[in-house]
Every structure is written in C-alpha cells, then in structure tokens.
Amino acid sequence: MLRLALVLVASTLAIAACGGSSSTPPQGPNSGTVSVQPGDTPKGMVRCDLSGDISNFIAKERSTDPSTAKSASDQWSQAKKNGAVAEYVAIYSDSSSHCETFKQAGTDPTTATYKLIINFVFQYKDEKSAVNAYTTGPIFDTSVANLRSGNSQAIEGTKTGLSANSIVISQPVSNQTFYIALWQKKTFAILLIALNLDPADSKKIATAENNRIK
C-alpha cells in the first residue's frame, strides 16, 4: 500500500502540473524526537498506531498489508547499509477510522479526501551519510530527482525555509492539496507528506520538525 502510494504521489505530481539497528545513535535529537509531534498538527488530528520506530511500523503493517511490510523491511535494510542507525515513522489523520483505512492493503492515499500526514525520519551515523541519502535517494521511494520531474513547482534550498539540502512541493492536484518536503539537516534525512491540509499548516509542521534538529 504505502510503497505504491508514494510512487503514485510522485507520478500524480509529474502528470498534473526488520527490526532496529544494532548501532547506537549519537546523543541529542533522535529520529523519534525530531518526527512530527501531536502539538505540531492542526486541531483534531490523531496519531495513527502505525507511528513508531521502523520495527513497530513493519510489525503493524505485516498483519494488514504484508507487501508494504516487506517493502519497508527491504528499504530499511538498504538504509542501514548506507549508514542509517535509526528510523521513525509518524502518521496522523483527522480520525481514527481514517488511520485504519490508510493502513489497509490497496489503499491509495492519492485519492484520499481526508487529512493525512506521513513522516519518515532517518538518522545516520554521520552527516556525510545523511547528505548522500538526500542527494542520491530515494527516501521511501521519493527522491530529489522525481520531485523535480514533470511540471511540479518545486522550491529548493534555503528558499524552502528548511535547509540548504531541501526540496518542497506545495500545490493542488485535482481536488487535493499536496505538500511534500524532502530534506537533510545534520545527521537526519526527512520525508514529510501532508495531504489536504492548509499549506500554512503544512509549512508550520515542517518548520517545527526542522527546528528540533540542533
């Protein structure tokens, strides 16, 4: 579900416009504390139970969407080979029922009319590894290259308000509003997707997350 959904997000934009690591993450901010927090989200949003470290995400998806669980496990294994030491997934929606809908096999978020936040935070052993993850990608099937493709109105670099290594797309597609931010700061590489939120709220979420990386 999720792997396909993220590919479809990138495609729509272009057309329209397992377990944890044995390594010890460095002291300071970590993937969980950097990720989207309840206080970052608009009023009425709820934290979906898929949220948690990558092992929790894989375990939860295994029972409802085995193909996504396998894809997530494979991608996490590759990320670890590239220097990742931790990954956290934060998912929010506007109701518990929509959280349940989202995690079912076959769900396509690109057709969702409800509010949805999908956030992947990768922490790397050093900044060089994080930079490489951002520049070469993909981060859960989303890369700088596919966000630049097609007619999507990408903003890059410090103009995003995030970091020098960042790219943001914020635009309506059909009857939906997409905000997609991919960026690297220090030892973190982050993917944030917000659907059907006010653009100002989406930007506020990304800024809050970015500011926690000290």
Side-chain angles (χ1 to χ4, degrees):
M1 167 269 292
L2 190 57
R3 182 178 187 277
L4 176 60
L6 294 183
V7 171
L8 287 172
V9 168
S11 300
T12 300
L13 288 170
I15 294 169
C18 120
S21 167
S22 58
S23 302
T24 302
Q27 297 299 308
N30 59 56
S31 56
T33 61
V34 167
S35 69
V36 176
Q37 304 295 313
D40 302 332
T41 67
K43 185 177 181 180
M45 299 288 285
V46 298
R47 185 177 183 271
C48 299
D49 69 355
L50 282 174
S51 301
D53 64 28
I54 188 62
S55 59
N56 173 80
F57 178 81
I58 292 169
K60 292 281 187 180
E61 281 288 69
R62 190 172 287 123
S63 62
T64 58
D65 190 351
S67 63
T68 292
K70 184 179 186 306
S71 175
S73 181
D74 291 345
Q75 292 188 55
W76 173 230
S77 294
Q78 184 59 52
K80 287 191 289 184
K81 291 178 182 177
N82 295 334
V85 295
E87 181 189 351
Y88 196 90
V89 184
I91 299 175
Y92 294 81
S93 192
D94 53 11
S95 71
S96 297
S97 62
H98 285 150
C99 285
E100 290 301 310
T101 297
F102 173 74
K103 72 180 182 182
Q104 298 302 314
T107 297
D108 178 5
T110 64
T111 64
T113 57
Y114 52 86
K115 295 178 181 179
L116 183 64
I117 298 167
I118 307 168
N119 182 215
F120 293 94
V121 181
F122 289 80
Q123 187 174 15
Y124 288 83
K125 63 182 181 180
D126 52 38
E127 188 166 351
K128 181 179 179 181
S129 299
V131 170
N132 185 63
Y134 172 81
T135 55
T136 62
I139 302 293
F140 254 83
D141 297 304
T142 303
S143 67
V144 173
N146 65 34
L147 291 179
R148 285 174 177 161
S149 67
N151 295 318
S152 57
Q153 300 168 13
I155 301 171
E156 296 190 53
T158 55
K159 291 180 181 179
T160 66
L162 298 173
S163 67
N165 284 335
S166 62
I167 181 169
V168 170
I169 294 172
S170 180
Q171 65 186 69
V173 177
S174 187
N175 64 338
Q176 293 182 299
T177 299
F178 284 86
Y179 178 94
I180 303 177
L182 182 66
W183 77 100
Q184 173 270 325
K185 184 176 179 182
K186 296 192 176 181
T187 60
F188 296 91
I190 302 166
L191 172 64
L192 173 66
I193 300 174
L195 278 70
N196 305 315
L197 270 67
D198 184 279
D201 287 334
S202 298
K203 185 175 181 180
K204 180 181 176 182
I205 293 167
T207 300
E209 190 170 7
N210 188 62
N211 288 345
R212 286 193 284 272
I213 304 173
K214 305 295 186 182

